Amino acid sequence: MRRTVPVRLGDRSYEVVVGPGVRNSLAEVVRRLGAERAVVVSARPDEWVPDTGVETLLLPARDGEQGKTLATVEALCGEFVRFGLTRSDVVVSCGGGTTTDVVGLAAALYHRGVDVIHLPTSLLAQVDASVGGKTAVNLREGKNLVGAFWQPRAVLCDTDYLSTLPAREMLSGLGEIARCHFIGAGDLRGLPLTEQIAASVTLKAGIVEVDERDAGKRHLLNYGHTLGHALELATGFALRHGEAVAVGTVFAGRLAHALGRVDRSRADEHLAVVRHYGLPTALPAEVDPELLVRQMHRDKKAVSGLGFVLDGPEGAQLVTDVPQEVVFRVLAGMPRAPMDSLVGAATPDAVLT
Ligand SMILES: NC(=O)c1ccc[n+]([C@@H]2O[C@H](COP(=O)([O-])OP(=O)(O)OC[C@H]3O[C@@H](n4cnc5c(N)ncnc54)[C@H](O)[C@@H]3O)[C@@H](O)[C@H]2O)c1
C-alpha cells in the first residue's frame, strides 16, 4: 500500500510518498531532479540507505537535539564543498526529525539553497517534521531559534523504517496523529498506519498551502502544544514531545469545555482518542501547575494573555486572553499520575509495528 500526498506551493510544490519500501524510489526522484551528485546525511545504518543512482557521498549522522546546532550545519556545508556539491546537485537527509531539521537548514544555506529530499525515519518526522519546509537548529538559549523556510523537493516516508523505532518514539509520533482528530483530519482510529500517516500529512499539507510561513492558520498544528511544550520543559524532557502533546490535547478538550466552546461529550472524546493511541492522559503528579502556567505565558502564541488552539463551534481556532483562573481550575481538575507510571507503560525497546 502506497499513498502520495501533494503539497501544492506553486514552483515549490512536491510530493510526500508514504508506504513500505518507498525509500527505494529515491534514485528515480534524484533522476527527475537532474542532479549529478548527492550527499546523503544518514543517522540509520548503511543498509537502510537506498541507492541514489548518482555519485554519492554518504555522511554518517546521529539523531538528537545535541547535534541540532549551527556547528553541525557548518560541518555539513564544509563536507559539501570538499565533495564538490553544486547548486544543481542534491542533499538527502535520512533520520529522525532532528536530522531532517539540521540537514534541511544546511541545504537551505549552502550556495543559498540546494535541493533537499527527506527520508524521515521516525513516526514524528514522517507525520510532521519532514513536511512543510520549516528547518531549524537550537541555540544554547533555546530550541529551534535559528532556521529557514526551505521546502524539500520530495519526502519519502518509508514505513519499513518504523520497524526498528523504539516504542516510546512510536508513541511520540502517535501523539501528533491523535491531535489531528481535532483539527480537521477526522477519526483516524482503526486505520492502517500508512493511512494514518498519509491523512496527517494531507492535513498538514492543506494548512501549509494556505500559510506557508506560519502567519496564521499554521497555528492549528499547535493543537495540544501550549501545555505540551510547558510539560516538556517542566519534566526536563522526560516526556517525549508527542506524549506531552497528548496530555495537552486532553487538557485542550477540557479547557474548551470550561470556556463553553464545546460540550462535555466532545471534551470526553479528547480523552478517548488520546487513550485509544495508548498515550498518557494525566498530568505528571510531580509537576507544579504554577510552573506550567508560567511556561505557558512564554508560549509564542501568548501574544495577548494565555493563548491556546481550542476546539469550538467553528472548529479549532486560536483563542487568546484565556483567563488564568480558568486555566488553573482546569489544570486542577486534570487526572494526575506519577511520572513513572505515565511513561513506564511502554517498553522502550519494544517494536510496535
Ligand atoms: N520542522 C518541523 O516542522 C518540525 C515539526 C515537528 C518537530 N520538529 C523537530 O523534530 C525533532 C523531533 O523529531 P524526532 O522525534 O524524530 O526526534 P529524533 O530525531 O531525536 O529521533 C528520536 C529518536 O528515535 C531514533 N530513531 C529515529 N528513527 C529511527 C529508526 N527508524 N529506528 C530506530 N531509531 C530511530 C533516533 O535515533 C532518536 O533516538 C525535534 O527537534 C523537533 O523540533 C520539527
Side-chain angles (χ1 to χ4, degrees):
M1 188 182 24
R2 171 184 284 225
R3 290 280 172 269
T4 300
V5 181
V7 184
R8 297 184 190 88
L9 290 166
D11 60 2
R12 297 179 310 294
S13 297
Y14 55 97
E15 287 181 343
V16 182
V17 189
V18 187
V22 302
R23 69 185 182 285
N24 295 317
S25 45
L26 179 64
E28 172 58 22
V29 176
V30 169
R31 194 189 57 72
R32 260 189 274 130
L33 292 176
E36 290 179 2
R37 254 161 303 188
V39 176
V40 180
V41 184
S42 171
R44 299 281 75 78
D46 290 359
E47 60 272 22
W48 280 106
V49 178
D51 181 27
T52 64
V54 294
E55 184 189 352
T56 295
L57 172 68
L58 177 59
L59 294 175
R62 287 181 80 144
D63 293 319
E65 297 297 333
Q66 304 86 329
K68 241 181 83 164
T69 62
L70 283 169
T72 304
V73 171
E74 186 177 2
L76 288 174
C77 290
E79 296 282 1
F80 300 168
V81 177
R82 286 186 285 281
F83 180 58
L85 197 80
T86 70
R87 202 189 270 167
S88 50
D89 292 325
V90 67
V91 171
V92 179
S93 76
C94 176
T98 52
T99 296
T100 57
D101 266 10
V102 71
V103 175
L105 183 59
L109 297 177
Y110 182 70
H111 285 190
R112 300 188 182 83
V114 60
D115 286 348
V116 64
I117 300 167
H118 294 311
L119 306 185
T121 66
S122 69
L123 183 57
L124 189 134
Q126 296 192 352
V127 297
D128 196 358
S130 65
V131 178
K134 277 191 187 177
T135 71
V137 293
N138 305 326
L139 297 182
R140 229 175 271 121
E141 289 74 8
K143 269 192 73 173
N144 294 332
L145 290 179
V146 177
F149 288 96
W150 189 245
Q151 298 293 344
R153 298 301 302 268
V155 181
L156 304 176
C157 298
D158 192 331
T159 49
D160 286 344
Y161 280 128
L162 306 178
S163 64
T164 59
L165 192 66
R168 282 202 55 206
E169 299 303 337
M170 195 73 189
L171 269 185
S172 188
L174 288 173
E176 298 289 11
I177 291 177
R179 65 81 159 95
C180 291
H181 186 109
F182 302 100
I183 54 174
D187 196 346
L188 307 179
R189 287 174 287 182
L191 294 180
L193 187 60
T194 294
E195 299 288 351
Q196 291 179 336
I197 297 169
S200 305
V201 170
T202 302
L203 176 80
K204 181 162 185 181
I207 291 173
V208 168
E209 282 165 7
V210 295
D211 182 21
E212 186 180 2
R213 294 195 159 233
D214 205 0
K217 199 170 177 195
R218 219 165 155 153
H219 281 324
L220 290 187
L221 296 167
N222 283 323
Y223 201 81
H225 282 58
T226 311
L227 180 61
H229 285 146
L231 278 170
E232 279 182 279
L233 288 166
T235 60
F237 294 91
L239 279 181
R240 295 292 296 147
H241 179 71
E243 294 171 331
V245 167
V247 180
T249 298
V250 174
F251 171 78
R254 287 172 168 241
L255 183 59
H257 178 53
L259 294 170
R261 294 177 57 85
V262 299
D263 61 18
R264 179 85 239 170
S265 70
R266 182 66 168 169
D268 290 346
E269 194 176 330
H270 286 67
L271 182 67
V273 168
V274 168
R275 193 172 273 156
H276 168 85
Y277 288 100
L279 288 152
T281 56
L283 281 182
E286 298 82 349
V287 169
D288 177 6
E290 294 272 353
L291 175 64
L292 292 175
V293 171
R294 263 204 310 279
Q295 292 291 1
M296 290 194 282
H297 270 294
R298 294 195 195 129
D299 188 271
K300 62 177 186 255
K301 293 183 294 307
V303 277
S304 176
L306 285 164
F308 298 86
V309 181
L310 295 176
D311 201 4
E314 285 154 38
Q317 282 172 334
L318 177 62
V319 182
T320 52
D321 286 321
V322 176
Q324 186 168 291
E325 60 277 14
V326 180
V327 173
F328 271 119
R329 184 155 37 85
V330 176
L331 281 174
M334 285 282 287
R336 289 204 154 226
M339 186 68 200
D340 286 355
S341 71
L342 284 181
V343 297
T347 317
D349 290 317
V351 170
L352 288 185
T353 51

